[in-house]
Amino acid sequence: MFHTILCDMLEIRYPILMGAMQGAGKPRLVAAVSEAGGLGVLPTFGETEADLLRQIEETRALTDKPFGVNITPVGRAFTEKRAAICIDQRIPVVTTGLGDPGPDAVGAMRSHGIKVIPVVPTVRHALRVEAEGADAIVASGTEGGGHVGYIATLPLVPQVVDAVKVPVVAAGGIGDGRGFLAALALGAVGAQLGTRLICTPEAQDPGWYKEMILATNEEGTIVSKALTGKTTRAFATAEVRAYEEARLRGLSGEELKPFERAVRQGRKKGEDYEGARQAVVGQICGMLKNEGDIKPVAQVIEDMIQQAAELARRTASML
Ligand SMILES: Cc1cc2nc3c(=O)[nH]c(=O)nc-3n(C[C@H](O)[C@H](O)[C@H](O)COP(=O)(O)O)c2cc1C
C-alpha cells in the first residue's frame, strides 16, 4: 500500500522517512522506524565522530533493516568528515539538514553508492542541491520542528515538485494519515516525520519532552534564532518569547545577548532545570493531546497508513 518510487530507491516498505532529530532520534527510535517499514535516520549534529560510530553500531545491533544518517552541513570540514564516516560505514542513505552540503561531499557519497537526500526550505535551495546531484529532496515547511524556513508545507511542496526532476518528500506538519495523504496529493513520493515520533515509547527523551508536547497546543511554538542562531521552530517558552519580543523592539545584537543566554544556558543545565525546557518541536504538537497518543512507532506508522488508505477510499468515492 502506498508503494512509491521512494520505497524502491531506499528498499523500504512504506514511503516514510524519520526526520533526523538531534537529542531525540537515538538508536532505539531509529531502529524502530526501520523495523516498522520506514527509514530510521541518525542525527550527527552535536554528536562527536565517536558518538556517531557508537550509535551506528548500536542501531545495527537492533535492526538488520536499512537506516540512514543525517549530516547538518555546518561547515565544509564537518560535512566532509561525516560523509567519510558514512562511506566507510557503508551507510545506504544520507539526508542533509538546513544548509548546503556542497557538490564535493554529495559527489563523494554518491560515487560510493550512497543515496543523498538534502532537506530544503525553498525552491531556490532545491534547485541548488539538485544541481549538486541529490538523488531526492525533502521539502520541509515552516510547520516542522527544528531548523526551518518561512514557507509552509502546503505551498512549498508542489512548487518544489514542479521545479525539480528528482523525487520529492514532504516534511513539516505531518502528524497522521491525513497529513501523509496530503503529502502524496501535493506530488510528494513520501513523508518525513519528526515531532510525531517523539511521542513514542522508543524515543528516549527526558519525560518532560513528551509531557510538554502533550500540554502544548498549535499556538505554543515559535520560530526563533534564539536557540541555535538559525531560524528554529521550538516551544514558545517565556525565555524564547522574551528574546523575540526584544528582537522586535529593535535591540542590537549586543543587547540581545542576555536574552539569548537565558535560552541557551537553560539548554545546557539538564533536564531537572526548568530552563532546560528550551526544545525544538513542530506545530503538530497540538494534535498530540494525551497519554493515549504515546504509541509504539510501528503503531504510529500502521495507523497513519490505514487512516490514509481509508481517507483515499472515501475521497475516491466522492468522484
Ligand atoms: C527534536 C528535533 C530535532 C531535530 N534535529 C534535526 C537534525 O539534527 N537535523 C535535521 O536535518 N533536522 C532536524 N530536525 C527536523 C526533522 O528532521 C524533521 O524534518 C521535522 O521535525 C519535520 O517536521 P515535524 O516535526 O512537523 O514532523 C529536528 C526536529 C526535531 C523535532
Side-chain angles (χ1 to χ4, degrees):
M1 218 187 297
F2 297 115
H3 189 96
T4 72
I5 191 174
L6 192 73
C7 302
D8 296 327
M9 181 190 275
L10 308 183
E11 296 179 23
I12 53 179
R13 181 163 179 220
Y14 297 128
I16 293 180
L17 299 188
M18 169 184 175
M21 289 188 283
Q22 198 238 324
K26 301 211 168 68
R28 195 171 154 219
L29 183 58
V30 174
V33 175
S34 290
E35 283 289 310
L39 187 86
V41 177
L42 279 170
T44 61
F45 188 47
E47 314 284 330
T48 64
E49 289 177 26
D51 285 339
L52 175 59
L53 287 167
R54 184 179 40 74
Q55 295 197 27
I56 290 173
E57 202 180 307
E58 275 176 45
T59 310
R60 284 193 172 136
L62 295 169
T63 183
D64 294 331
K65 301 259 178 352
F67 64 89
V69 165
N70 172 269
I71 302 175
T72 298
V74 285
R76 196 175 164 156
F78 178 91
T79 306
E80 288 179 0
K81 276 190 189 155
R82 295 299 188 276
I85 291 177
C86 292
I87 291 169
D88 190 49
Q89 290 292 314
R90 300 182 187 283
I91 297 295
V93 185
V94 166
T95 63
T96 65
L98 197 76
D100 183 2
D104 295 346
V106 174
M109 290 190 281
R110 292 194 73 229
S111 71
H112 286 84
I114 296 178
K115 300 279 186 258
V116 181
I117 310 183
V119 180
V120 303
T122 65
V123 170
R124 181 167 47 88
H125 290 88
L127 290 169
R128 191 193 303 162
V129 294
E130 183 182 47
E132 288 174 2
D135 292 282
I137 292 172
V138 178
S140 173
T142 189
E143 301 93 317
H147 288 144
V148 288
Y150 291 108
I151 305 175
T153 304
L154 200 60
L156 177 67
V157 173
Q159 293 186 70
V160 173
V161 167
D162 287 348
V164 300
K165 293 190 181 61
V166 295
V168 175
V169 175
I174 299 170
D176 63 15
R178 294 170 293 183
F180 173 79
L181 191 65
L184 299 186
L186 294 174
V189 296
Q192 171 163 296
L193 314 180
T195 302
R196 182 63 191 88
L197 295 171
I198 300 175
C199 285
T200 60
E202 291 93 337
Q204 298 145 282
D205 308 296
W208 60 257
Y209 208 158
K210 292 184 180 90
E211 281 164 25
M212 221 167 141
I213 291 179
L214 298 184
T216 301
N217 69 18
E218 78 286 3
E219 292 185 285
T221 75
I222 189 169
V223 175
S224 173
K225 290 189 180 174
L227 282 87
T228 68
K230 290 186 175 184
T231 47
T232 303
R233 184 172 296 281
F235 289 113
T237 58
E239 292 87 348
V240 180
R241 280 192 199 275
Y243 171 93
E244 282 305 313
E245 277 160 23
R247 192 180 63 78
L248 291 173
R249 286 203 308 273
L251 267 62
S252 68
E254 203 49 46
E255 289 166 326
L256 280 174
K257 289 235 160 79
F259 293 92
E260 201 176 281
R261 267 199 299 277
V263 174
R264 295 196 192 172
Q265 273 172 5
R267 278 169 74 76
K268 283 191 200 137
K269 281 197 178 172
E271 63 184 87
D272 55 344
Y273 175 68
E274 184 70 19
R277 300 175 181 189
Q278 315 296 343
V280 303
V281 74
Q283 290 179 321
I284 66 138
C285 60
M287 294 165 71
L288 300 161
K289 294 189 186 340
N290 52 53
E291 289 293 322
D293 292 319
I294 299 180
K295 298 188 286 193
V297 169
Q299 197 184 334
V300 169
I301 292 181
E302 286 298 330
D303 288 355
M304 185 170 274
I305 295 293
Q306 293 309 326
Q307 188 187 19
E310 174 54 29
L311 187 54
R313 277 191 287 272
R314 256 198 286 145
T315 310
S317 73
M318 293 174 199
L319 299 175

